[in-house]
Amino acid sequence: MNRRPFIAGNWKMHKTGQQAVQTATRLAELCSDLTDPEVMIAPTSLSLPLVAKALENTPVKVGAQNLHFEKQGAFTGEISAEMIKAAGAEYILIGHSERRQYFGETDESVCKKIKAALEAGLKPVLCIGETQEQREEKNTYLVLDKQVSNGLKRFGLEELSDLVLAYEPVWAIGTGLTASIEQVAQVHKHLRSLLEDLFSKDLADRTRILYGGSVKPENVKDLMGIEDVDGALVGGASLDADNFINIIKYNE
Ligand code: 13P
């Protein structure tokens, strides 16, 4: 199955609007001759419309980092899927471990957010991952299976045709620790067969599964060489365009 490789940058809570536009513009310059992989950056919501405008007619796509599942209303401080879409985003990160850890995100809210995203025409990137403790207790698959099945249980095959899954072991995020090639290979293989069990072989074959957690220019090639790894979700190493391009062009 030919899955288009996908390299995404999650800028988390970094960069003012002006700084984000500067980095995005530089990244677009560096990507001007790019056909593969597909590239996306997720700036803060404040920077998103500015970055989307700066990236018009370039190969670099834009995503958001979070949304509220309601369409509108008295939800101070929140933004809806429709607003994000109108601001120029194509993708949306949902269920990032930092949101689960610090902002009370649950599988239930993840599921509602995916529904809202799909209704607004945003492509969801469902983020999942186990903590160090869960791994040590040998509960990795239990945790991941629950995150995937609870997050996706309401949806049918057709709705999930643009789904992207991102496996980000919590202990590897921002720590400099990358999961070993063997660990990543095992989990990604497991996730693909889980998708097959839950949905269909076709959906499992088509769905791109990204790895995230301390991805950098030095390790991206080995990670992308793993059979079931279709891309990377990059935090820290995506903040500088001249560094990020070395991850994007991992094959050169
Ligand atoms: P780092 O690449 O900084 O470890 O972050 C990974 C991540 O959380 C991307 O969503």
Side-chain angles (χ1 to χ4, degrees):
M1 173 57 71
N2 232 352
R3 293 180 292 267
R4 187 176 180 206
F6 188 28
I7 305 285
N10 174 7
W11 285 356
K12 307 190 180 184
M13 198 175 74
H14 290 282
K15 300 181 188 292
T16 63
Q18 197 187 0
Q19 290 163 343
V21 166
Q22 231 168 36
T23 309
T25 306
R26 173 71 182 146
L27 187 65
E29 259 169 46
L30 295 168
C31 288
S32 58
D33 57 344
L34 201 72
T35 46
D36 264 335
E38 185 175 358
V39 178
M40 182 270 274
I41 49 175
T44 68
S45 309
L46 277 181
S47 301
L48 194 145
L50 304 171
V51 166
K53 182 123 194 56
L55 291 177
E56 261 172 17
N57 305 316
T58 79
V60 183
K61 297 173 174 173
V62 184
Q65 301 174 14
N66 183 38
L67 55 73
H68 192 276
F69 48 75
E70 292 291 349
K71 286 196 165 65
Q72 58 183 26
F75 302 103
T76 302
E78 296 295 325
I79 49 175
S80 74
E82 189 191 332
M83 295 168 194
I84 290 167
K85 175 81 179 172
E90 178 172 338
Y91 285 94
I92 173 87
L93 307 182
I94 296 182
H96 192 279
S97 67
E98 286 150 17
R99 298 221 55 89
R100 294 180 192 257
Q101 243 180 317
Y102 307 130
F103 303 102
E105 188 88 271
T106 61
D107 289 342
E108 186 57 28
S109 57
V110 162
C111 186
K112 288 183 183 165
K113 287 180 180 191
I114 293 176
K115 183 164 188 290
L118 293 172
E119 280 172 5
L122 289 167
K123 298 174 180 169
V125 180
L126 170 60
C127 305
I128 57 167
E130 83 286 2
T131 63
Q132 176 86 53
E133 201 185 354
Q134 290 164 335
R135 177 164 279 270
E136 280 164 8
E137 288 167 354
K138 305 211 178 320
N139 283 333
T140 299
Y141 289 164
L142 195 77
V143 170
L144 298 177
D145 290 4
K146 209 165 129 286
Q147 289 173 339
V148 173
S149 53
N150 288 345
L152 300 179
K153 66 184 167 196
R154 285 211 214 152
F155 308 105
L157 279 178
E158 261 175 33
E159 290 171 292
L160 297 179
S161 57
D162 287 324
L163 173 77
V164 177
L165 202 56
Y167 169 56
E168 301 200 293
V170 178
W171 48 273
I173 295 179
T175 56
L177 293 173
T178 320
S180 70
I181 296 299
E182 201 189 356
Q183 285 169 329
V184 178
Q186 280 171 353
V187 170
H188 279 238
K189 190 164 187 253
H190 174 82
L191 291 172
R192 202 169 304 283
S193 71
L194 176 67
L195 288 175
E196 181 174 342
D197 291 347
L198 292 174
F199 298 100
S200 73
K201 175 149 176 42
D202 182 53
L203 186 92
D205 282 344
R206 273 189 293 126
T207 303
R208 291 177 293 179
I209 309 179
L210 318 183
Y211 167 78
S214 300
V215 176
K216 41 191 180 236
E218 296 76 33
N219 60 19
V220 64
K221 198 164 181 168
D222 286 345
L223 288 162
M224 292 300 290
I226 302 172
E227 192 182 334
D228 284 300
V229 172
D230 307 307
L233 182 52
V234 187
S238 72
L239 292 170
D240 176 343
D242 289 271
N243 188 50
F244 191 33
I245 194 68
N246 293 317
I247 296 179
I248 293 167
K249 296 191 173 176
Y250 64 91
N251 238 348
E252 293 178 13

